[in-house]
């Protein structure tokens, strides 16, 4: 996998500790598929040694830009979020598998929790352009209104959009999975695609299974190599064994994972 030098072109704090960033990387913009990620060196030196993975939020092939959403949670993301436009990022990617093509049907549900919105914006965009006969019904959940970032980007690419916050400060009070439960009871989705916290993914997987709807989840796990060589990112597989998030995923069919082991 080649390492690409990508010049940072945009870095804007769009919510507390949440940065929308863009880099000029035409090869990645042309090749990336929704659900794939970039493995990014977060500083100019080898400290920290390990790269950090980020989902591709969207691409602009015409200008060669790739967009990421970065939530500051520790040292690596703090360093990355502190970089100014003009800095050069060392990037590997696009890596991993993307979301599988929607099964036959009229509409799909996209369920995002927090930063899980990033790959689903790209996926909603791709469904609208490539599978334009399919309606996109999106749900975005966040703890509070101020960290409900990128909701306009998802809403603009959806035929229907629902927002939830845990404190009721925006949209319906509750969880994204509560909204999914209500929709599954009265709609006939071809598939559910989800990205967000483990607990949310587990509930989405259970709800979709109960409704007989295929469910695909984009899983996050700390990574080292990013290309399947070190087993640093494994998650428990249904029926035993492990799957590598970086190379077997990060998108998995929900039934491929051992949810009891994964979500604890
Ligand atoms: C495929 C994939 C896509 C991702 N996409 C995005 C994205 O679009 N936007 C975004 O902000 N983040 C995304 N992440 C998570 C991001 O990679 C981590 O938040 C980041 O690596 C943390 O680095 P750090 O040095 O700041 O934090 P660290 O100092 O390494 O960790 C700080 C805290 O975060 C936890 N943590 C570290 N890595 C992860 C992880 N991968 N998943 C869950 N918790 C973790 C640690 O346990 C610790 O509690 C993605 C992860 C994966 C695997
Ligand atoms: S990070 Fe090395 S195998 Fe996935």
């Amino acid at each position: 996998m080649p390492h690409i030098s990508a010049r940072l072109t945009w870095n804007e704090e769009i919510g507390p500790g949440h940065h929308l960033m863009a880099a000029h990387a035409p090869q990645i913009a042309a090749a990336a598929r929704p659900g794939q990620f970039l493995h990014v060196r977060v500083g100019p030196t080898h400290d920290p040694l390990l790269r950090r993975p980020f989902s591709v939020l969207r691409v602009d092939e015409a200008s060669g830009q790739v967009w990421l959403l970065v939530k500051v949670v520790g040292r690596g993301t703090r360093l990355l979020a502190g970089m100014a436009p003009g800095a050069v990022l060392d990037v590997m990617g696009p890596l991993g598998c993307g979301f599988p093509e929607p099964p036959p049907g009229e509409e799909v549900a996209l369920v995002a929790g927090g930063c899980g919105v990033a790959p689903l914006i790209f996926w909603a965009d791709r469904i609208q352009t490539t599978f334009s006969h399919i309606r996109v019904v999106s749900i975005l959940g966040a703890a509070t209104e101020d960290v409900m970032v990128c909701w306009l980007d998802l809403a603009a690419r959806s035929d229907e959009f629902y927002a939830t916050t845990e404190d009721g400060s925006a949209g319906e009070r509750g969880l994204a999975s509560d909204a999914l439960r209500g929709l599954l009871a009265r709609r006939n989705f071809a598939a559910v695609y989800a990205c967000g916290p483990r607990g949310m993914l587990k509930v989405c997987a259970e709800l979709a299974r109960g409704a007989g709807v295929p469910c695909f989840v984009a899983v996050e796990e700390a990574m080292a190599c990013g290309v399947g060589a070190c087993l640093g990112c494994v998650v428990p597989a249904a029926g035993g064994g492990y799957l590598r998030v970086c190379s077997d995923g990060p998108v998995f069919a929900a039934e491929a994972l051992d949810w009891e082991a994964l979500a604890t």
Side-chain angles (χ1 to χ4, degrees):
M1 171 55 59
H3 295 201
I4 292 168
S5 294
R7 190 167 295 280
L8 200 61
T9 55
W10 192 271
N11 180 356
E12 179 187 4
E13 188 167 16
I14 54 172
H18 289 67
H19 288 245
L20 184 63
M21 305 182 81
H24 186 250
Q27 308 95 311
I28 294 175
R33 287 178 288 114
Q36 289 190 298
F37 68 94
L38 306 185
H39 215 22
V40 182
R41 191 173 290 294
V42 293
T45 69
H46 287 271
D47 177 29
L49 183 62
L50 298 180
R51 293 165 182 273
R52 302 296 194 265
F54 298 94
S55 303
V56 177
L57 182 147
R58 65 184 163 84
V59 299
D60 180 352
E61 281 193 61
S63 67
Q65 313 251 27
V66 180
W67 294 80
L68 304 176
L69 174 63
V70 176
K71 177 183 174 183
V72 176
V73 298
R75 180 158 177 255
T77 43
R78 192 172 305 113
L79 283 169
L80 184 60
M83 287 186 175
V88 175
L89 295 179
D90 177 336
V91 176
M92 285 166 63
L95 299 175
C97 64
F99 291 109
E101 199 168 301
E106 290 175 6
E107 56 184 8
V108 294
L110 274 50
V111 189
C115 278
V117 71
L120 293 176
I121 289 171
F122 193 8
W123 188 216
D125 195 71
R126 193 55 60 88
I127 294 173
Q128 289 207 323
T129 52
T130 309
F131 309 101
S132 53
H133 60 286
I134 294 180
R135 296 182 76 253
V136 175
V137 180
S138 296
I139 304 165
L140 173 56
T144 55
E145 183 179 21
D146 60 341
V147 290
M148 175 162 289
V149 294
C150 296
W151 71 268
L152 264 174
D153 298 271
L154 184 60
R157 292 164 174 80
S158 305
D159 297 284
E160 257 177 79
F161 175 76
Y162 300 89
T164 64
T165 48
E166 290 170 31
D167 66 352
S169 51
E172 288 291 309
R173 181 191 292 269
L175 303 173
S177 50
D178 298 333
L180 178 66
R181 185 180 287 107
L183 286 168
L184 281 170
R186 54 184 198 275
R187 306 281 278 267
N188 189 18
F189 294 114
V192 172
Y193 301 93
C195 184
R198 295 272 170 96
M200 185 201 95
L201 296 183
K202 180 171 187 266
V203 175
C204 290
E206 286 167 358
L207 291 171
R209 192 180 64 233
V213 178
C215 179
F216 303 93
V217 294
V219 175
E220 293 189 0
E221 183 53 80
M223 287 183 182
C225 73
V227 291
C230 72
L231 304 183
C233 64
V234 294
V235 289
Y242 292 91
L243 291 164
R244 293 163 298 186
V245 171
C246 67
S247 53
D248 299 316
V251 177
F252 296 97
E255 68 267 17
L257 301 174
D258 176 347
W259 288 101
E260 290 314 312
L262 191 69
T264 52

